Amino acid sequence: KNEMTVEKIFINGRIYEISGVGYSPSGEFFLEGQKIEPNRDKDLLFLLKTSVLCNNAVLSLKEGKWEVIGDPTEGCLIVAALKAGIFKDKLDKEYQRIEEIVFSPERKMMTVICKKNKENVAFIKGAPEVILKKCKYKLKENKIEELRDGELIDIFKTVDEFGGFALRVIALAFREIHYSLIQEEIEKDLVFLGLVGIADLPREGVKEAIKDCFDAGIGVAMITGDNKETARAIAEKIGLFFDNDK
């Protein structure tokens, strides 16, 4: 449908679930089945703020319908943040954008450098396999700690777990910048914030159309930049991948 919805967020071994569908900014946050107030969780709030600052999409209400101007993946991040009371226009005034290192299919990541008061901060989002290789630290209870190898293994397991739910997975990170750095130095020794699991439901009729193609002897391929587990789960939903397939 190309209408993304943030369903899960992973931070420090915890998985938050978010209710609501599509681009309407109405929904609630849950942890272990219990409703929570996101504004009381500093790590969750900082991840959501990062997802909004490292973002070029705009959410607008047009004739009673919420619409995204820009990338749908970025749009759903703004929606998730709004559910926690974080407004992009207000945040953009608080953090002055200085520079953007743009996303590309080769880089699989995007970086935005912002200035707040006299401090410069880089906010980063992208494919987990790319971001995690560049992370040396993690944010835990609003403190920066070293990211251990065992924790990395658990994070990659969560990436696969989210993929098994047919969720597109994005990793978020940041780092403080205390002096002038070249791009390669800005995007290393990052502080890992967490993972976001995004649902994009198949369009109605896709499964039937694929079956018609198979019945007619037509081969069907799905081309995607998603994680392998995500791609496999979506392919299973639409009848493109079966148990004995490779």
Side-chain angles (χ1 to χ4, degrees):
K1 286 185 175 181
N2 208 28
E3 186 176 277
M4 313 289 186
T5 305
V6 175
E7 289 192 351
K8 295 178 185 290
I9 294 176
F10 169 87
I11 300 174
N12 291 321
R14 305 187 300 272
I15 295 179
Y16 301 83
E17 296 185 341
I18 307 174
S19 63
V21 178
Y23 296 136
S24 172
S26 57
E28 295 172 329
F29 288 74
F30 298 86
L31 182 61
E32 297 179 353
Q34 299 295 316
K35 180 183 171 183
I36 65 163
E37 295 298 330
N39 57 10
R40 294 180 180 177
D41 189 321
K42 291 183 179 180
D43 292 349
L44 176 60
L45 277 182
F46 194 72
L47 178 143
L48 292 169
K49 286 181 179 180
T50 297
S51 74
V52 171
L53 289 165
C54 187
N55 197 313
N56 289 322
V58 176
L59 182 69
S60 66
L61 185 61
K62 189 175 181 181
E63 297 177 357
K65 183 181 179 182
W66 290 96
E67 295 181 348
V68 165
I69 302 169
D71 182 79
T73 303
E74 292 193 332
C76 76
L77 296 173
I78 294 174
V79 173
L82 260 177
K83 292 175 182 178
I86 298 169
F87 294 84
K88 180 172 172 55
D89 54 353
K90 184 178 179 181
L91 206 57
D92 286 341
K93 291 177 182 177
E94 186 180 348
Y95 292 84
Q96 178 190 353
R97 184 182 289 201
I98 298 172
E99 185 181 348
E100 176 185 343
I101 306 172
V102 298
F103 175 91
S104 72
E106 293 76 26
R107 279 170 36 78
K108 292 188 177 182
M109 63 184 295
M110 169 186 176
T111 297
V112 168
I113 301 167
C114 296
K115 185 175 185 177
K116 182 183 179 183
N117 300 324
K118 294 183 179 181
E119 295 181 352
N120 292 346
V121 184
F123 299 99
I124 301 110
K125 74 175 188 300
E129 64 272 18
V130 174
I131 300 295
L132 285 166
K133 287 180 181 178
K134 298 175 179 290
C135 289
K136 188 176 180 181
Y137 308 99
K138 65 177 180 181
L139 189 69
K140 186 174 183 180
E141 297 177 2
N142 211 32
K143 296 178 181 178
I144 295 174
E145 299 180 1
E146 189 174 346
L147 184 61
R148 299 189 297 271
D149 290 342
E151 292 171 320
L152 275 172
I153 292 170
D154 289 340
I155 293 168
F156 277 113
K157 284 180 180 177
T158 304
V159 172
D160 289 341
E161 180 184 329
F162 278 13
F165 291 124
L167 299 177
R168 174 175 293 174
V169 189
I170 292 176
L172 292 129
F174 84 103
R175 70 162 292 174
E176 296 173 348
I177 301 171
H178 301 290
Y179 49 90
S180 179
L181 296 173
I182 61 174
Q183 177 178 326
E184 290 75 15
E185 292 175 331
I186 290 172
E187 296 180 327
K188 74 175 190 179
D189 295 341
L190 304 180
V191 182
F192 176 71
L193 294 175
L195 305 171
V196 176
I198 299 169
D200 182 14
L201 298 175
R203 290 181 183 273
E204 291 80 2
V206 168
K207 191 171 185 177
E208 293 76 14
I210 288 174
K211 185 179 184 303
D212 288 343
C213 287
F214 285 156
D215 291 344
I218 300 169
V220 182
M222 179 175 70
I223 301 172
T224 176
D226 282 343
N227 171 277
K228 183 179 73 172
E229 295 303 320
T230 303
R232 191 197 331 253
I234 292 170
E236 287 175 348
K237 279 190 174 183
I238 60 177
L240 188 56
F241 184 89
F242 301 95
D243 286 344
N244 295 323
D245 288 348
K246 292 184 180 179

